[in-house]
Amino acid sequence: MHVSCSQCGIADILEFAKNPDEVFLEFLTRYDQGLVHEKGLGEHLADEGIVRTEGEIKSLIGEKNPDTVTEGILYSRKDYIAEYRVLKNLEPKMGSKTEDFGLEDGITKHLIDLGIGQFYRFQEDSISNILFGKNVVIEAPTASGKTEAFLIPVIQKIMKEGIKGSVFAIFVYPTKALARDQHHKIENFASKIGIKAGVFDGDTGLEERRGVIDNPPHILVTNFDVLHYHIWHQTKFSSILTSAQMLVVDEVHVYSGILGTNVHYIIKRLKRICTNDIQFIAASATLGGAKEFCQELFGAKMQLIRGSGRKGQTDFVMMFPSLRTQRALMVDLAKRLTQKNHKTMVFNNSHLNSELLAIQAKKHKVNIKVHRAGLMANYRSLVERQFKEGTLDAISCTPTLELGIDVGDVDGVISSTIPVNRLTQRIGRAARKGQRGYAFLALGNDPISQYYKNHPDDYFEDMEKTYIDPKNPFVEECQVLAMACDRPISKHELKEHQDAIRQHLIDGNLKELNGRIVPNFDRTDSVLNDYSIRGIGKPVDIFLNGKKVGDRMLPIALEELHKDAIYFLAGIRYRVKELGYPKKNCARLEKIPKDYPYYTKSVTEEWPTIETAYERRIANGIEVAFCKLHIEKRVCGYANIELGQEITQGEKVMFDEPLEYDFITKGIVFHAPRPTRIAEESEDKEYTEASGYHATEHVVIEGSNMITGGVSQDLGGISLGTSGLIFVYDGAIGGSGASKVLYDRFERVLERSMGIIKECPCKNEAGCPRCTFSYRCGNNNEYLHKHSALEILERINRGEKTKLVDPAEGDRPLV
C-alpha cells in the first residue's frame, strides 16, 4: 500500500493489510525512525516494479511521437504503463466503382450524391453474396461502413422483388435507442429511392402504429422483445411479419447468454409464421467465432465476410494503477482529457461502477453524467443529446454505449478491463471523424489485471467467447408455449421439443384439438405475461416518491435492494427504505445526505445440490463435471463499504430474517486436492484448508475471465468447507452457457490461476485484491488463504488425481 502527501511529496510503500489504519500507524512509526524521506520514493518505485523507469518509458515510445496529452500520462509516474501502442488503421482495400456494380439507377445515383463513388472490398463482397441469396455475417469495426454493406443489397432486392404495402425485410436492433438512431439513417437513404422504412417498438405512438399496420413499410425496424410479444399474441402487427423474406440483425454480438438463447427461439418462431424462406444477415463488431456463433443463433449456414476500419490513428495505453485505485485512475484520465476539451466516454463494467465513477469525477469538477440500462429512456436520451451538442464533456457509461448510437464526435475512450474485441469496439468510438484519438485501458486491482500487467501480449490473444444455451429448460419451456400460441403445433413438427410439449400437455398448459396441439390460454397467458427474454426471473420495480424510476431482476435484486441497501441511480445514492419481497416485487427508495460515507455489499450464503451430471471428464488429474444444479440462496446481511475503497470489506450488519430464493441453473463441480503441506504447518488446519478452497474458487472465476471471454461476471461460485468440492455456476436461472465455456477451457484456466497467485508479490496470508479477493464475494472477502490456494493449484497443475465426492452435512459453504 502507498502512503503519500500531494503537497510535500513525502511517500512510502508498506505491506498490505485489511485495515488501512494499521498501515498508516506503521507509516508513522517508520517516519519517527527516520526511514521516510521528503524526497519521496523516486527510483525505488521502479525497483519494486510499481512504475516504469524513464528509460523504459522512452523505450516503449520509440518512434511513436505521442502528443503532449499522451506524453504527460506516460511520464506521470503514478501508474505502471503496461503497454503503449499507436493503433493505425490502414486504408481499407477498395472494390468496384459504384457505377460499375450493376445496381438500380436510383441507388447508384443516390450513392454518388452521398460521395460514395467506390465500395470497400468487404462492402462489395457483402452486397454480392446477399444479392446471391446467401446468409451472411459481416464482421467489421465501428464506423467502417457496415450499415451500407447490408442496406444497399436489401434495397436492391426490394426494388426488384418487393411488393408495395408488404414487409420485405425486418431490421432488428438490441435497444430502442439504437433502433431509432439507425431508422433515421435507413429512412434517409431508402426514401430517396422510393422505399418505405418504418419503426415499431415500445415507444411507437398509437397513430404511428396504425400507419405501420395499415400500410406496412418495405423495411421494418424493431427489436426482439416486440417480435416475441406480438407473435405469441397473434396481433395485427404479427400478421404483417408473415411476408418477410429477410431478417437483418445488427450488433449480433450482444445476443449472448440468456437473451441470445431466447433470440434463437424467436428466430425459429419467425420462420414458422413466415410464408417465405428467410434470408439471414448478421452484422457485428470483431467477434471470436462469429460464423459458428451465428450458425447456432440462426439455425442456418452462414458465410463470414470481414472488413477493416477507416483510416485513422489512436494512441492506446494499457495502465495498471499501482499507487491508487482503478477508479481514481479513470477519474484522473477523464479530468486530463476534458481539461484539454477532448470529449470523453468512460466505460465501466457494471451499473454500480458507472455511478461511483461519476460521483468521484464530479468532485474533480468533470462535467459528466451517467448513461446505463435501468435509467429511464428520456434521461438517457438527454445525456446523448447533451454530449452530441457539446454541453456535456464526458459520459460514464456501461456497455450500452458500445453499440452504434451516434453521440457525435468522440476524442477519448477510457475503459475498464474487458476482452480485446470488446475494447476494439469501444476504441472505435474515438476519432470516428478522422481526428487523433486516445484510448486508455485502465486495469483494476484484481487478479486478471495483475496478470495482464505482467503479460500484456496475452491480453491481445484472449478473445471474447459469445455463447447461447438452446437446451436451457426454462427458456425452452416458455418458448415452446409461445410457439403453440403463435400457431398450432402439428404432430410432425418440433420433434426436438417433444419432451417439453409432453410435459405441457400433462400440466394442462397445452391440449390436443383435432390432431393439433393448441394452448390453454387461461394458463399460458399468466406464464408468458410474466416472462422476460432478457433474463429469467421476475423484476422488482423501484419507486422514488411514488414514481417508478427503474427495475432489477431477481435474484440479483435481493442483493442490491434489501432493506437499508444503498442504491445508485443517475449519479445519486439512495437508501432502500422498504423491500416488499416476497409478497410484493417492489422496493421504495429514500434520499440520504450527500456526505454519507458508505455504500453496501450484501453478505450471502448458498447451498448447491447436483440434480444431473451432463458430462464428466479429467482435467489434468482432477475429475470435473458439467451439471444441472439447484442453488439455495440466502441474503443474510450486508457490509458498509467506504466510498473510494476498492477493497470490498466493511463492517457487517446481519438481518434477523434472511431473504431466501432458490433456482435451477447449470455449472461445473470439481474436487480440489488437499493442501497437505500448508495445512500441517498451520495451527488451525480446518480454517487453512477451507480458506484455501475458497481462495481457489475466487481466483478460478476472476482469473479465468478473459480465457473464457469475459464471462466471469455471469458466474457464481461456492466452496464447501473442507470437502474440497468447488462449484462454479451460471448466475442466470436455467443456465446461460457461461459455465460450459469454463468447462471446455478448464486446463488453461487452472494454469493461469496458479500463475496469478504465484506472481502476486503480496505477503498477506489472505492475499489481496490483486490475487484472491473478489468484489462479488458473498463472505465479505473473509476465509481466504493465499498460500493454501497456491499449493492446491500447484497440485492440480502437477496432475494430482481426485474423484468427485458427495457433499457432507456440516460443510460450511463459502461464496
Side-chain angles (χ1 to χ4, degrees):
M1 297 184 85
H2 181 243
V3 180
S4 65
C5 173
S6 57
Q7 291 185 35
C8 72
I10 197 168
D12 197 11
I13 295 172
L14 301 104
E15 193 61 45
F16 170 83
K18 290 181 182 179
N19 185 348
D21 292 341
E22 290 177 22
V23 178
F24 191 61
L25 286 171
E26 174 69 11
F27 164 75
L28 294 175
T29 303
R30 284 172 54 79
Y31 181 81
D32 289 342
Q33 292 170 347
L35 299 173
V36 181
H37 303 286
E38 288 192 18
K39 290 181 181 178
L41 294 165
E43 290 304 309
H44 180 57
L45 290 173
D47 295 340
E48 292 281 332
I50 290 168
V51 299
R52 285 197 187 266
T53 64
E54 195 170 312
E56 286 174 326
I57 297 293
K58 282 180 179 173
S59 178
L60 274 177
I61 292 172
E63 305 295 319
K64 296 184 187 78
N65 193 28
D67 69 0
T68 52
V69 174
T70 305
E71 197 170 55
I73 289 164
L74 291 172
Y75 283 109
S76 67
R77 295 181 68 76
K78 288 186 177 179
D79 310 279
Y80 185 89
I81 308 299
E83 187 68 55
Y84 169 50
R85 299 184 180 189
V86 176
L87 306 178
K88 291 183 180 178
N89 281 333
L90 301 174
E91 200 66 59
K93 289 180 181 175
M94 302 307 293
S96 302
K97 285 194 161 53
T98 309
E99 56 195 9
D100 297 338
F101 204 71
L103 296 169
E104 293 288 321
D105 290 344
I107 298 175
T108 303
K109 182 179 182 305
H110 184 53
L111 287 169
I112 290 168
D113 288 345
L114 290 171
I116 302 173
Q118 189 176 9
F119 293 120
Y120 295 127
R121 176 75 58 78
F122 89 90
Q123 290 177 323
E124 179 181 337
D125 291 344
S126 300
I127 294 166
S128 299
N129 278 282
I130 292 168
L131 290 177
F132 196 64
K134 295 265 183 78
N135 298 319
V136 168
V137 186
I138 305 166
E139 185 187 283
T142 306
S144 59
K146 271 199 306 277
T147 302
E148 290 77 10
F150 60 74
L151 180 60
I152 290 165
V154 169
I155 289 176
Q156 171 78 1
K157 289 190 90 163
I158 291 170
M159 291 183 77
K160 291 210 163 193
E161 304 167 31
I163 300 167
K164 190 177 180 186
S166 176
V167 171
F168 188 89
I170 302 170
F171 281 40
V172 180
Y173 292 91
T175 65
K176 288 183 286 189
L178 182 58
R180 296 274 160 173
D181 193 74
Q182 292 300 300
H183 171 246
H184 180 68
K185 185 176 181 178
I186 292 161
E187 192 176 39
N188 277 352
F189 193 113
S191 60
K192 301 285 193 301
I193 305 155
I195 302 297
K196 190 178 174 190
V199 63
F200 193 104
D201 60 26
D203 293 341
T204 307
L206 194 59
E207 205 60 44
E208 202 179 344
R209 283 174 177 238
R210 283 201 191 109
V212 169
I213 292 165
D214 294 342
N215 186 17
H218 299 103
I219 297 172
L220 178 69
V221 178
T222 187
N223 57 59
F224 280 115
D225 304 78
V226 166
L227 294 179
H228 166 69
Y229 176 87
H230 285 273
I231 294 173
W232 84 260
H233 278 96
Q234 292 191 27
T235 62
K236 286 182 180 177
F237 173 74
S238 74
S239 66
I240 73 169
L241 303 173
T242 58
S243 61
Q245 296 184 42
M246 304 181 84
L247 176 67
V248 178
V249 180
D250 200 2
E251 307 287 2
V252 73
H253 58 280
V254 169
Y255 300 108
S256 191
I258 285 291
L259 175 59
T261 303
N262 276 291
V263 164
H264 166 82
Y265 279 97
I266 294 166
I267 291 169
K268 200 172 199 175
R269 290 164 52 200
L270 190 63
K271 287 183 200 174
R272 286 185 78 230
I273 68 164
C274 285
T275 53
N276 305 291
D277 287 339
I278 302 178
Q279 181 182 359
F280 300 118
I281 301 161
S284 169
T286 309
L287 178 65
K291 180 179 175 180
E292 294 74 17
F293 171 69
C294 287
Q295 286 182 166
E296 188 172 23
L297 187 72
F298 290 96
K301 285 196 169 180
M302 310 288 287
Q303 182 160 330
L304 177 64
I305 294 166
R306 282 201 176 98
S308 56
R310 290 179 181 165
K311 190 174 182 180
Q313 178 175 311
T314 303
D315 280 351
F316 168 72
V317 186
M318 183 193 294
M319 305 175 73
F320 182 76
S322 305
L323 302 175
R324 49 183 167 177
T325 64
Q326 180 190 41
R327 196 173 300 118
L329 165 59
M330 294 171 79
V331 167
D332 185 37
L333 290 170
K335 185 178 177 182
R336 284 170 180 263
L337 288 175
T338 53
Q339 280 178 341
K340 296 288 185 181
N341 297 316
H342 292 308
K343 291 175 72 179
T344 303
M345 295 178 77
V346 188
F347 285 98
N348 306 270
N349 288 351
S350 71
H351 291 187
L352 177 63
N353 285 334
S354 64
E355 299 278 3
L356 286 168
L357 186 133
I359 286 171
Q360 285 190 224
K362 283 174 184 172
K363 288 178 181 175
H364 288 265
K365 305 292 188 287
V366 177
N367 178 18
I368 190 170
K369 282 186 178 172
V370 176
H371 187 293
R372 64 167 177 85
L375 295 175
M376 302 309 276
N378 56 351
Y379 180 82
R380 293 203 304 267
S381 297
L382 172 71
V383 173
E384 290 161 23
R385 189 171 66 252
Q386 288 180 342
F387 189 74
K388 192 171 183 177
E389 291 170 353
T391 56
L392 185 66
D393 297 334
I395 301 179
S396 177
C397 54
T398 54
T400 48
L401 275 183
E402 270 175 26
L403 309 177
I405 296 170
D406 184 8
V407 289
D409 296 353
V410 180
D411 304 308
V413 169
I414 301 161
S415 174
S416 53
T417 322
I418 42 152
V420 64
N421 49 301
R422 292 268 300 283
L423 180 73
T424 306
Q425 173 90 341
R426 292 178 179 183
I427 288 176
R429 285 290 196 178
R432 283 179 74 166
K433 309 296 180 185
Q435 74 272 38
R436 186 173 190 147
Y438 306 92
F440 300 96
L441 179 68
L443 298 172
N445 291 293
D446 58 81
I448 196 63
S449 292
Q450 177 149 268
Y451 181 84
Y452 286 139
K453 174 208 169 192
N454 298 325
H455 308 277
D457 289 342
D458 281 10
Y459 175 76
F460 297 93
E461 300 298 320
D462 290 345
M463 287 287 274
E464 180 177 27
K465 169 81 173 164
T466 34
Y467 51 88
I468 60 172
D469 181 14
K471 298 229 171 22
N472 181 306
F474 296 95
V475 176
E476 183 185 26
E477 179 186 313
C478 289
Q479 289 291 349
V480 164
L481 265 190
M483 284 177 180
C485 295
D486 304 341
R487 196 182 83 182
I489 299 170
S490 61
K491 287 288 182 92
H492 69 274
E493 67 170 334
L494 302 180
K495 295 289 185 193
E496 67 275 27
H497 302 302
Q498 284 306 304
D499 289 347
I501 291 169
R502 197 177 300 114
Q503 191 57 51
H504 279 310
L505 288 167
I506 293 166
D507 295 342
N509 297 324
L510 299 178
K511 58 189 178 184
E512 279 196 51
L513 188 67
N514 299 328
R516 298 190 303 172
I517 294 159
V518 297
N520 178 356
F521 282 109
D522 290 342
R523 300 183 67 124
T524 54
D525 281 14
S526 61
V527 174
L528 292 174
N529 280 328
D530 286 340
Y531 184 71
S532 166
I533 69 168
R534 292 178 183 266
I536 306 168
K538 294 182 180 178
V540 172
D541 293 329
I542 303 166
F543 291 89
L544 177 65
N545 299 328
K547 182 182 174 185
K548 183 181 171 182
V549 290
D551 58 50
R552 287 298 268 157
M553 300 296 280
L554 290 167
I556 191 68
L558 298 185
E559 297 184 38
E560 296 183 1
L561 291 166
H562 57 76
K563 189 176 185 309
D564 294 326
I566 300 301
Y567 190 76
F568 291 78
L569 198 69
I572 300 170
R573 288 176 299 148
Y574 299 92
R575 182 188 283 110
V576 178
K577 183 180 180 182
E578 175 192 356
L579 174 65
Y581 180 85
K583 291 179 181 175
K584 287 184 180 177
N585 282 359
C586 65
R588 304 191 188 283
L589 307 182
E590 63 181 2
K591 290 186 176 179
I592 57 172
K594 280 188 177 180
D595 59 355
Y596 187 75
Y598 300 110
Y599 66 100
T600 53
K601 171 79 178 68
S602 63
V603 175
T604 61
E605 281 184 6
E606 295 173 12
W607 184 266
T609 305
I610 299 170
E611 301 255 320
T612 311
Y614 298 120
E615 295 179 38
R616 291 172 184 259
R617 70 184 184 87
I618 302 298
N620 295 334
I622 62 169
E623 187 178 19
V624 56
F626 178 58
C627 321
K628 177 183 178 183
L629 296 171
H630 176 223
I631 306 290
E632 297 170 74
K633 189 181 190 78
R634 304 170 82 209
V635 179
C636 306
Y638 61 91
N640 284 308
I641 298 167
E642 279 192 52
L643 277 175
Q645 292 294 317
E646 285 192 10
I647 301 165
T648 50
Q649 287 185 315
E651 185 184 340
K652 288 193 287 190
V653 178
M654 305 308 286
F655 298 145
D656 294 332
E657 290 185 30
L659 297 167
E660 296 183 343
Y661 190 86
D662 70 301
F663 59 99
I664 298 290
T665 187
K666 291 176 184 171
I668 70 164
V669 58
F670 65 98
H671 185 194
R674 188 167 183 266
T676 312
R677 180 176 54 82
I678 297 293
E680 291 303 321
E681 292 172 359
S682 169
E683 291 179 9
D684 188 340
K685 292 181 177 58
E686 281 196 10
Y687 171 85
T688 301
E689 189 176 349
S691 299
Y693 297 135
H694 187 207
T696 301
E697 173 243 305
H698 274 197
V699 77
V700 162
I701 294 176
E702 299 294 336
S704 71
N705 197 8
M706 300 300 158
I707 287 178
T708 52
V711 304
S712 76
Q713 63 193 29
D714 298 330
L715 296 170
I718 307 166
S719 63
L720 281 186
T722 56
S723 70
L725 288 174
I726 295 176
F727 295 79
V728 181
Y729 63 85
D730 295 336
I733 298 170
S736 62
S739 61
K740 184 63 167 66
V741 178
L742 180 62
Y743 178 79
D744 291 340
R745 302 182 180 189
F746 201 46
E747 287 85 352
R748 281 184 67 202
V749 167
L750 293 168
E751 185 181 359
R752 182 169 291 183
S753 300
M754 180 180 72
I756 284 167
I757 294 188
K758 229 175 196 174
E759 291 175 1
C760 186
C762 79
K763 296 181 180 68
N764 193 38
E765 179 185 274
C768 73
R770 294 172 180 176
C771 59
T772 60
F773 284 27
S774 168
Y775 70 92
R776 286 189 299 276
C777 180
N779 290 99
N780 199 31
N781 279 309
E782 295 169 353
Y783 306 100
L784 296 170
H785 201 293
K786 173 184 176 177
H787 311 298
S788 178
L790 179 57
E791 184 182 343
I792 289 165
L793 287 162
E794 284 175 336
R795 286 174 177 274
I796 291 172
N797 282 284
R798 280 201 306 265
E800 186 166 319
K801 292 179 171 57
T802 64
K803 286 281 184 188
L804 286 171
V805 295
D806 291 327
E809 278 191 39
D811 282 329
R812 176 175 179 176
L814 296 171
V815 184

